[in-house]
Coordinates of all heavy atoms in Angstrom, one line a residue:
I57 N 6.3 15.0 -14.9 CA 6.5 13.8 -15.6 C 5.7 13.9 -16.9 O 5.0 14.8 -17.1 CB 6.0 12.6 -14.8 CG1 4.5 12.8 -14.3 CG2 6.9 12.3 -13.5 CD1 3.9 11.6 -13.6
S58 N 5.9 12.9 -17.8 CA 5.2 12.9 -19.0 C 3.7 12.5 -18.8 O 3.4 11.9 -17.8 CB 5.8 12.0 -20.0 OG 5.6 10.6 -19.6
R59 N 2.9 12.9 -19.7 CA 1.5 12.6 -19.6 C 1.3 11.0 -19.6 O 0.5 10.5 -18.9 CB 0.7 13.2 -20.8 CG -0.8 13.0 -20.7 CD -1.4 13.6 -22.0 NE -2.8 13.8 -21.8 CZ -3.4 14.9 -21.9 NH1 -2.8 16.0 -22.4 NH2 -4.7 15.0 -21.7
S60 N 2.1 10.3 -20.4 CA 1.9 8.9 -20.5 C 2.4 8.2 -19.1 O 1.8 7.2 -18.7 CB 2.7 8.3 -21.6 OG 4.1 8.5 -21.5
T61 N 3.4 8.8 -18.5 CA 3.8 8.3 -17.2 C 2.8 8.6 -16.2 O 2.5 7.7 -15.3 CB 5.2 8.9 -16.8 OG1 6.2 8.6 -17.7 CG2 5.6 8.5 -15.4
A62 N 2.1 9.7 -16.2 CA 1.0 10.0 -15.3 C -0.1 9.0 -15.5 O -0.6 8.4 -14.5 CB 0.5 11.4 -15.5
Y63 N -0.4 8.7 -16.7 CA -1.4 7.7 -17.0 C -1.0 6.3 -16.4 O -1.8 5.6 -15.8 CB -1.7 7.6 -18.5 CG -2.7 6.5 -18.9 CD1 -4.1 6.7 -18.8 CD2 -2.2 5.3 -19.3 CE1 -5.0 5.7 -19.1 CE2 -3.1 4.3 -19.7 CZ -4.5 4.5 -19.6 OH -5.4 3.5 -19.9
T64 N 0.2 5.9 -16.7 CA 0.7 4.6 -16.2 C 0.7 4.5 -14.7 O 0.3 3.5 -14.2 CB 2.2 4.4 -16.8 OG1 2.1 4.4 -18.2 CG2 2.7 3.1 -16.3
Y65 N 1.1 5.6 -14.1 CA 1.1 5.6 -12.6 C -0.3 5.4 -12.0 O -0.5 4.6 -11.1 CB 1.7 6.9 -12.0 CG 3.2 7.0 -12.0 CD1 3.8 8.2 -11.6 CD2 4.0 6.0 -12.5 CE1 5.2 8.3 -11.6 CE2 5.4 6.1 -12.4 CZ 6.0 7.3 -12.0 OH 7.3 7.4 -11.9
V66 N -1.3 6.1 -12.6 CA -2.6 6.0 -12.1 C -3.2 4.6 -12.4 O -3.8 4.0 -11.5 CB -3.6 7.1 -12.7 CG1 -5.0 6.8 -12.4 CG2 -3.1 8.4 -12.3
Q67 N -2.9 4.1 -13.6 CA -3.4 2.7 -13.9 C -2.8 1.7 -13.0 O -3.4 0.7 -12.6 CB -3.1 2.4 -15.4 CG -3.9 3.3 -16.4 CD -5.4 3.2 -16.1 OE1 -6.0 2.2 -16.0 NE2 -6.0 4.4 -15.9
D68 N -1.5 1.8 -12.8 CA -0.8 0.9 -11.9 C -1.4 0.9 -10.5 O -1.6 -0.1 -9.8 CB 0.7 1.2 -11.8 CG 1.5 0.8 -13.0 OD1 0.9 0.1 -13.9 OD2 2.7 1.1 -13.1
A69 N -1.7 2.1 -10.0 CA -2.3 2.2 -8.7 C -3.7 1.6 -8.6 O -4.0 0.8 -7.7 CB -2.5 3.7 -8.3
L70 N -4.5 1.8 -9.7 CA -5.8 1.1 -9.7 C -5.7 -0.4 -9.8 O -6.5 -1.1 -9.2 CB -6.6 1.7 -10.9 CG -7.0 3.2 -10.8 CD1 -7.6 3.7 -12.1 CD2 -7.9 3.4 -9.6
K71 N -4.8 -0.9 -10.6 CA -4.6 -2.3 -10.7 C -4.2 -2.9 -9.3 O -4.7 -4.0 -8.9 CB -3.5 -2.7 -11.6 CG -3.8 -2.5 -13.1 CD -2.6 -2.8 -14.0 CE -2.8 -2.3 -15.4 NZ -1.6 -2.4 -16.2
E72 N -3.4 -2.2 -8.6 CA -3.0 -2.7 -7.2 C -4.2 -2.7 -6.3 O -4.3 -3.6 -5.5 CB -1.8 -1.9 -6.7 CG -1.2 -2.5 -5.5 CD -0.6 -3.9 -5.7 OE1 -0.1 -4.1 -6.8 OE2 -0.7 -4.7 -4.8
I73 N -5.0 -1.7 -6.4 CA -6.2 -1.6 -5.5 C -7.1 -2.8 -5.7 O -7.7 -3.3 -4.8 CB -6.9 -0.2 -5.7 CG1 -6.1 0.9 -5.2 CG2 -8.3 -0.3 -5.1 CD1 -6.6 2.3 -5.6
T74 N -7.3 -3.1 -7.0 CA -8.3 -4.2 -7.3 C -7.7 -5.6 -7.2 O -8.4 -6.6 -7.1 CB -8.9 -4.0 -8.7 OG1 -7.8 -4.0 -9.7 CG2 -9.7 -2.7 -8.7
R75 N -6.4 -5.7 -7.3 CA -5.7 -7.0 -7.3 C -6.0 -7.8 -6.0 O -6.3 -9.0 -6.0 CB -4.2 -6.9 -7.5 CG -3.5 -8.2 -7.6 CD -2.0 -7.9 -7.9 NE -2.0 -6.7 -8.7 CZ -1.0 -6.3 -9.5 NH1 0.1 -7.0 -9.5 NH2 -1.1 -5.2 -10.2
E76 N -5.8 -7.2 -4.8 CA -5.9 -7.9 -3.6 C -7.4 -8.5 -3.4 O -7.5 -9.6 -3.1 CB -5.5 -7.0 -2.4 CG -5.5 -7.8 -1.1 CD -4.9 -7.0 0.0 OE1 -4.0 -6.2 -0.2 OE2 -5.4 -7.2 1.2
P77 N -8.4 -7.6 -3.5 CA -9.8 -8.2 -3.4 C -10.0 -9.3 -4.4 O -10.7 -10.3 -4.1 CB -10.7 -7.0 -3.6 CG -9.8 -5.8 -3.2 CD -8.4 -6.2 -3.7
A78 N -9.5 -9.2 -5.6 CA -9.8 -10.2 -6.6 C -9.1 -11.5 -6.2 O -9.7 -12.6 -6.4 CB -9.2 -9.7 -8.0
E79 N -7.9 -11.4 -5.6 CA -7.2 -12.6 -5.2 C -8.0 -13.3 -4.0 O -8.1 -14.5 -3.9 CB -5.8 -12.3 -4.7 CG -4.8 -12.0 -5.8 CD -4.6 -13.2 -6.7 OE1 -4.6 -14.3 -6.2 OE2 -4.4 -13.0 -8.0
Q80 N -8.5 -12.4 -3.1 CA -9.3 -13.0 -2.0 C -10.5 -13.7 -2.5 O -10.9 -14.8 -2.0 CB -9.7 -11.9 -1.0 CG -8.5 -11.3 -0.3 CD -8.8 -10.1 0.5 OE1 -9.9 -9.5 0.4 NE2 -7.9 -9.6 1.4
V81 N -11.2 -13.1 -3.5 CA -12.4 -13.7 -4.0 C -12.1 -15.1 -4.7 O -12.7 -16.1 -4.5 CB -13.1 -12.8 -5.0 CG1 -14.2 -13.5 -5.8 CG2 -13.7 -11.6 -4.3
R82 N -11.0 -15.1 -5.5 CA -10.5 -16.3 -6.2 C -10.2 -17.4 -5.2 O -10.6 -18.5 -5.3 CB -9.3 -16.0 -7.1 CG -8.9 -17.2 -7.9 CD -7.8 -17.1 -8.9 NE -7.0 -15.9 -8.8 CZ -7.0 -14.9 -9.6 NH1 -7.9 -14.8 -10.6 NH2 -6.2 -13.9 -9.5
T83 N -9.5 -17.0 -4.1 CA -9.1 -18.0 -3.1 C -10.4 -18.6 -2.4 O -10.5 -19.8 -2.2 CB -8.2 -17.4 -2.0 OG1 -7.0 -16.9 -2.7 CG2 -7.9 -18.3 -0.9
L84 N -11.3 -17.7 -2.1 CA -12.6 -18.2 -1.5 C -13.3 -19.1 -2.4 O -13.8 -20.2 -2.0 CB -13.5 -17.0 -1.1 CG -14.8 -17.3 -0.5 CD1 -14.6 -18.0 0.8 CD2 -15.6 -16.0 -0.3
E85 N -13.4 -18.7 -3.7 CA -14.1 -19.6 -4.7 C -13.4 -20.9 -4.8 O -14.1 -22.0 -4.9 CB -14.3 -18.9 -6.0 CG -15.2 -17.7 -6.0 CD -16.7 -18.2 -5.7 OE1 -17.2 -19.2 -6.3 OE2 -17.3 -17.5 -4.8
L86 N -12.1 -20.9 -4.9 CA -11.4 -22.2 -5.0 C -11.6 -23.1 -3.8 O -11.8 -24.3 -3.9 CB -9.9 -22.0 -5.1 CG -9.5 -21.5 -6.5 CD1 -8.0 -21.0 -6.5 CD2 -9.7 -22.6 -7.6
Q87 N -11.7 -22.5 -2.6 CA -12.0 -23.3 -1.4 C -13.4 -23.9 -1.4 O -13.6 -25.1 -1.1 CB -11.9 -22.4 -0.1 CG -10.4 -22.0 0.2 CD -10.3 -21.0 1.3 OE1 -11.3 -20.3 1.7 NE2 -9.1 -20.8 1.8
R88 N -14.3 -23.1 -1.9 CA -15.7 -23.6 -2.1 C -15.8 -24.8 -3.1 O -16.4 -25.8 -2.8 CB -16.7 -22.5 -2.5 CG -16.9 -21.5 -1.4 CD -17.7 -20.4 -1.9 NE -18.0 -19.4 -0.9 CZ -18.4 -18.2 -1.1 NH1 -18.6 -17.7 -2.3 NH2 -18.7 -17.4 -0.1
Y89 N -15.1 -24.6 -4.2 CA -15.1 -25.6 -5.3 C -14.4 -26.9 -4.8 O -14.8 -28.0 -5.0 CB -14.5 -25.1 -6.5 CG -15.3 -24.2 -7.3 CD1 -14.7 -23.1 -8.0 CD2 -16.7 -24.3 -7.4 CE1 -15.5 -22.2 -8.7 CE2 -17.5 -23.5 -8.2 CZ -16.9 -22.4 -8.8 OH -17.6 -21.5 -9.5
D90 N -13.3 -26.7 -4.0 CA -12.6 -27.9 -3.4 C -13.5 -28.7 -2.5 O -13.5 -29.9 -2.5 CB -11.3 -27.5 -2.7 CG -10.2 -27.1 -3.7 OD1 -10.3 -27.5 -4.9 OD2 -9.2 -26.4 -3.2
A91 N -14.3 -27.9 -1.7 CA -15.2 -28.6 -0.7 C -16.3 -29.4 -1.5 O -16.6 -30.5 -1.2 CB -15.8 -27.6 0.2
L92 N -16.8 -28.8 -2.6 CA -17.8 -29.5 -3.4 C -17.2 -30.7 -4.1 O -17.9 -31.7 -4.1 CB -18.4 -28.5 -4.4 CG -19.4 -27.5 -3.9 CD1 -19.7 -26.4 -5.0 CD2 -20.7 -28.1 -3.4
L93 N -16.0 -30.5 -4.6 CA -15.4 -31.6 -5.3 C -15.1 -32.8 -4.3 O -15.4 -33.9 -4.7 CB -14.1 -31.1 -5.9 CG -13.4 -32.1 -6.9 CD1 -14.3 -32.5 -8.0 CD2 -12.1 -31.5 -7.4
T94 N -14.7 -32.5 -3.2 CA -14.4 -33.5 -2.1 C -15.7 -34.2 -1.8 O -15.7 -35.4 -1.6 CB -13.8 -32.8 -0.9 OG1 -12.6 -32.2 -1.2 CG2 -13.5 -33.9 0.2
A95 N -16.8 -33.5 -1.7 CA -18.1 -34.1 -1.3 C -18.6 -35.1 -2.4 O -19.2 -36.1 -2.0 CB -19.1 -33.0 -1.1
H96 N -18.2 -34.9 -3.6 CA -18.7 -35.8 -4.7 C -17.7 -36.8 -5.2 O -18.0 -37.7 -5.9 CB -19.2 -34.9 -5.9 CG -20.4 -34.1 -5.6 ND1 -21.7 -34.6 -5.6 CD2 -20.5 -32.8 -5.2 CE1 -22.5 -33.6 -5.2 NE2 -21.9 -32.5 -5.0
W97 N -16.4 -36.6 -4.9 CA -15.4 -37.4 -5.5 C -15.5 -38.9 -5.2 O -15.4 -39.7 -6.1 CB -14.0 -36.8 -5.0 CG -12.9 -37.4 -5.7 CD1 -12.0 -38.4 -5.2 CD2 -12.4 -37.1 -7.0 NE1 -11.1 -38.7 -6.2 CE2 -11.3 -38.0 -7.3 CE3 -12.9 -36.3 -8.0 CZ2 -10.6 -37.9 -8.5 CZ3 -12.2 -36.2 -9.2 CH2 -11.1 -37.0 -9.4
A98 N -15.7 -39.3 -3.9 CA -15.7 -40.7 -3.6 C -16.9 -41.4 -4.3 O -16.7 -42.5 -4.9 CB -15.9 -40.9 -2.1
T99 N -18.0 -40.7 -4.4 CA -19.2 -41.3 -5.1 C -18.8 -41.4 -6.6 O -19.2 -42.5 -7.2 CB -20.4 -40.4 -5.0 OG1 -20.6 -40.2 -3.6 CG2 -21.7 -41.1 -5.5
A100 N -18.2 -40.5 -7.2 CA -17.8 -40.5 -8.6 C -16.8 -41.7 -8.8 O -16.9 -42.4 -9.8 CB -17.1 -39.2 -9.1
L101 N -15.9 -41.9 -7.9 CA -14.9 -43.0 -8.0 C -15.6 -44.4 -7.9 O -15.0 -45.3 -8.4 CB -13.8 -42.9 -7.0 CG -12.8 -41.7 -7.2 CD1 -11.8 -41.7 -6.1 CD2 -12.1 -41.8 -8.5
H102 N -16.8 -44.4 -7.3 CA -17.5 -45.7 -7.2 C -18.4 -45.9 -8.4 O -19.3 -46.7 -8.4 CB -18.3 -45.7 -5.9 CG -17.4 -46.1 -4.8 ND1 -16.7 -45.1 -4.0 CD2 -17.0 -47.3 -4.3 CE1 -16.0 -45.7 -3.1 NE2 -16.1 -47.0 -3.2
G103 N -18.3 -45.0 -9.4 CA -19.0 -45.2 -10.7 C -20.3 -44.5 -10.9 O -21.0 -44.7 -11.9
D104 N -20.7 -43.6 -9.9 CA -21.9 -42.8 -10.1 C -21.7 -41.8 -11.2 O -20.9 -40.9 -11.1 CB -22.2 -42.2 -8.7 CG -23.5 -41.5 -8.8 OD1 -23.6 -40.4 -9.4 OD2 -24.5 -42.0 -8.2
Q105 N -22.5 -41.9 -12.2 CA -22.4 -41.1 -13.4 C -22.7 -39.6 -13.1 O -22.1 -38.7 -13.5 CB -23.2 -41.6 -14.6 CG -23.0 -40.8 -15.9 CD -21.6 -40.9 -16.4 OE1 -21.0 -41.9 -16.4 NE2 -21.1 -39.8 -16.9
A106 N -23.8 -39.4 -12.3 CA -24.2 -38.0 -11.9 C -23.1 -37.4 -11.1 O -22.8 -36.2 -11.3 CB -25.5 -38.1 -11.1
A107 N -22.5 -38.1 -10.2 CA -21.4 -37.5 -9.4 C -20.2 -37.3 -10.3 O -19.5 -36.2 -10.1 CB -21.0 -38.5 -8.3
T108 N -19.9 -38.1 -11.2 CA -18.8 -37.9 -12.2 C -19.1 -36.6 -13.0 O -18.1 -35.8 -13.1 CB -18.7 -39.1 -13.1 OG1 -18.4 -40.3 -12.3 CG2 -17.5 -38.9 -14.1
D109 N -20.3 -36.5 -13.5 CA -20.6 -35.3 -14.2 C -20.4 -34.0 -13.4 O -19.9 -33.0 -13.8 CB -22.0 -35.3 -14.8 CG -22.2 -36.4 -15.9 OD1 -21.1 -36.8 -16.5 OD2 -23.3 -36.8 -16.2
T110 N -20.9 -34.1 -12.1 CA -20.8 -33.0 -11.2 C -19.3 -32.7 -11.0 O -18.9 -31.5 -11.0 CB -21.5 -33.3 -9.9 OG1 -22.8 -33.5 -10.1 CG2 -21.3 -32.2 -8.9
C111 N -18.5 -33.7 -10.7 CA -17.0 -33.5 -10.5 C -16.4 -32.8 -11.8 O -15.6 -31.9 -11.6 CB -16.3 -34.8 -10.2 SG -16.7 -35.4 -8.6
L112 N -16.8 -33.3 -12.9 CA -16.2 -32.7 -14.1 C -16.6 -31.2 -14.3 O -15.8 -30.3 -14.7 CB -16.6 -33.4 -15.4 CG -16.0 -34.8 -15.5 CD1 -16.6 -35.6 -16.7 CD2 -14.5 -34.7 -15.8
K113 N -17.8 -30.9 -13.9 CA -18.3 -29.5 -14.0 C -17.5 -28.6 -13.0 O -17.1 -27.5 -13.3 CB -19.8 -29.4 -13.7 CG -20.6 -29.9 -14.9 CD -22.1 -29.8 -14.6 CE -22.9 -30.5 -15.7 NZ -24.3 -30.6 -15.4
I114 N -17.3 -29.1 -11.8 CA -16.6 -28.4 -10.7 C -15.2 -28.2 -11.2 O -14.6 -27.1 -11.1 CB -16.7 -29.1 -9.4 CG1 -18.1 -29.2 -8.9 CG2 -15.7 -28.5 -8.4 CD1 -18.3 -30.1 -7.7
M115 N -14.6 -29.3 -11.8 CA -13.2 -29.2 -12.2 C -13.1 -28.1 -13.3 O -12.1 -27.4 -13.4 CB -12.7 -30.5 -12.7 CG -12.5 -31.5 -11.5 SD -12.3 -33.2 -12.0 CE -10.9 -33.2 -13.0
G116 N -14.1 -28.0 -14.2 CA -14.1 -27.0 -15.2 C -14.1 -25.6 -14.6 O -13.4 -24.7 -15.1
R117 N -14.9 -25.4 -13.6 CA -14.9 -24.1 -12.9 C -13.6 -23.8 -12.3 O -13.1 -22.6 -12.3 CB -16.0 -24.1 -11.8 CG -17.4 -24.2 -12.3 CD -17.8 -23.0 -13.1 NE -19.2 -23.1 -13.4 CZ -20.1 -22.1 -13.1 NH1 -19.7 -21.1 -12.4 NH2 -21.3 -22.3 -13.5
I118 N -12.9 -24.8 -11.7 CA -11.6 -24.6 -11.1 C -10.6 -24.2 -12.2 O -9.8 -23.3 -12.0 CB -11.2 -25.8 -10.3 CG1 -12.0 -26.1 -9.1 CG2 -9.7 -25.7 -9.9 CD1 -11.8 -27.4 -8.4
E119 N -10.7 -24.8 -13.3 CA -9.8 -24.5 -14.4 C -10.0 -23.1 -14.8 O -9.0 -22.3 -15.1 CB -10.0 -25.4 -15.6 CG -9.6 -26.9 -15.3 CD -10.0 -27.8 -16.4 OE1 -10.9 -27.5 -17.2 OE2 -9.4 -28.9 -16.5
L120 N -11.3 -22.6 -14.9 CA -11.5 -21.2 -15.3 C -10.9 -20.2 -14.3 O -10.3 -19.2 -14.7 CB -13.0 -21.0 -15.4 CG -13.8 -21.5 -16.6 CD1 -15.3 -21.3 -16.4 CD2 -13.3 -20.9 -17.8
L121 N -11.0 -20.5 -13.0 CA -10.4 -19.6 -12.0 C -8.9 -19.6 -12.1 O -8.3 -18.6 -11.8 CB -10.8 -20.1 -10.6 CG -12.2 -19.7 -10.2 CD1 -12.6 -20.2 -8.8 CD2 -12.4 -18.2 -10.2
H122 N -8.3 -20.7 -12.6 CA -6.9 -20.7 -12.8 C -6.5 -20.2 -14.1 O -5.3 -20.2 -14.5 CB -6.3 -22.2 -12.6 CG -6.3 -22.6 -11.2 ND1 -5.4 -22.0 -10.3 CD2 -6.9 -23.6 -10.5 CE1 -5.6 -22.6 -9.1 NE2 -6.5 -23.6 -9.2
G123 N -7.4 -19.8 -14.9 CA -7.1 -19.3 -16.3 C -6.9 -20.3 -17.3 O -6.3 -20.0 -18.4
V124 N -7.3 -21.6 -17.0 CA -7.1 -22.6 -18.0 C -8.5 -22.8 -18.7 O -9.5 -22.9 -18.0 CB -6.7 -24.0 -17.3 CG1 -6.7 -25.1 -18.3 CG2 -5.4 -23.8 -16.6
K125 N -8.5 -22.9 -20.0 CA -9.7 -23.0 -20.8 C -10.1 -24.5 -20.7 O -9.4 -25.4 -21.1 CB -9.5 -22.6 -22.2 CG -10.8 -22.6 -23.0 CD -10.5 -22.1 -24.4 CE -11.8 -22.2 -25.3 NZ -11.5 -21.9 -26.6
P126 N -11.3 -24.8 -20.2 CA -11.8 -26.2 -20.1 C -12.1 -26.7 -21.5 O -12.3 -26.0 -22.4 CB -13.0 -26.1 -19.3 CG -13.5 -24.7 -19.5 CD -12.3 -23.9 -19.7
P127 N -12.1 -28.0 -21.6 CA -12.4 -28.6 -22.9 C -13.8 -28.3 -23.4 O -14.7 -28.1 -22.5 CB -12.2 -30.1 -22.7 CG -12.0 -30.3 -21.3 CD -11.8 -29.0 -20.6
T128 N -14.0 -28.2 -24.7 CA -15.3 -28.0 -25.2 C -15.9 -29.3 -25.7 O -15.2 -30.3 -25.8 CB -15.3 -26.9 -26.3 OG1 -14.5 -27.5 -27.4 CG2 -14.7 -25.6 -25.9
E129 N -17.2 -29.3 -26.2 CA -17.8 -30.5 -26.7 C -16.9 -31.0 -27.9 O -16.8 -32.1 -28.1 CB -19.2 -30.2 -27.2 CG -20.2 -30.1 -26.0 CD -20.3 -31.4 -25.2 OE1 -20.3 -32.5 -25.8 OE2 -20.5 -31.3 -24.0
S130 N -16.4 -30.0 -28.7 CA -15.6 -30.5 -29.8 C -14.3 -31.1 -29.4 O -13.7 -31.8 -30.2 CB -15.2 -29.2 -30.7 OG -14.4 -28.3 -30.0
D131 N -13.9 -31.0 -28.1 CA -12.7 -31.6 -27.6 C -13.1 -33.0 -27.1 O -12.2 -33.7 -26.4 CB -12.1 -30.8 -26.4 CG -11.5 -29.5 -26.9 OD1 -11.1 -29.4 -28.1 OD2 -11.5 -28.6 -26.1
D132 N -14.3 -33.5 -27.3 CA -14.7 -34.8 -27.0 C -14.8 -35.0 -25.5 O -14.4 -36.0 -24.9 CB -13.7 -35.8 -27.6 CG -14.4 -37.2 -27.9 OD1 -15.6 -37.3 -27.8 OD2 -13.7 -38.1 -28.3
T133 N -15.5 -34.1 -24.8 CA -15.7 -34.2 -23.4 C -16.6 -35.4 -23.0 O -16.4 -35.9 -21.9 CB -16.3 -32.9 -22.8 OG1 -17.5 -32.6 -23.5 CG2 -15.3 -31.8 -22.9
R134 N -17.5 -35.8 -23.9 CA -18.3 -37.0 -23.5 C -17.4 -38.2 -23.4 O -17.6 -39.0 -22.5 CB -19.4 -37.2 -24.6 CG -20.5 -36.1 -24.5 CD -21.7 -36.5 -25.3 NE -22.6 -35.4 -25.3 CZ -23.0 -34.7 -26.3 NH1 -22.5 -35.0 -27.5 NH2 -23.9 -33.7 -26.1

Side-chain angles (χ1 to χ4, degrees):
I57 56 178
S58 71
R59 186 183 196 128
S60 66
T61 299
Y63 176 82
T64 299
Y65 280 179
V66 171
Q67 294 307 306
D68 287 352
L70 293 173
K71 286 177 194 170
E72 193 58 38
I73 288 170
T74 58
R75 184 175 327 197
E76 187 175 325
E79 286 296 325
Q80 291 172 348
V81 168
R82 184 177 17 253
T83 298
L84 179 61
E85 288 299 310
L86 285 170
Q87 290 170 347
R88 289 174 177 163
Y89 287 141
D90 284 343
L92 285 170
L93 189 59
T94 300
H96 294 281
W97 190 256
T99 308
L101 289 179
H102 283 88
D104 185 287
Q105 186 63 42
T108 300
D109 290 342
T110 300
C111 286
L112 288 172
K113 287 177 185 174
I114 294 168
M115 290 165 63
R117 295 291 186 125
I118 291 170
E119 289 171 345
L120 284 174
L121 281 177
H122 283 295
V124 177
K125 186 177 176 184
T128 62
E129 285 297 323
S130 64
D131 293 333
D132 209 6
T133 55
R134 288 192 184 116

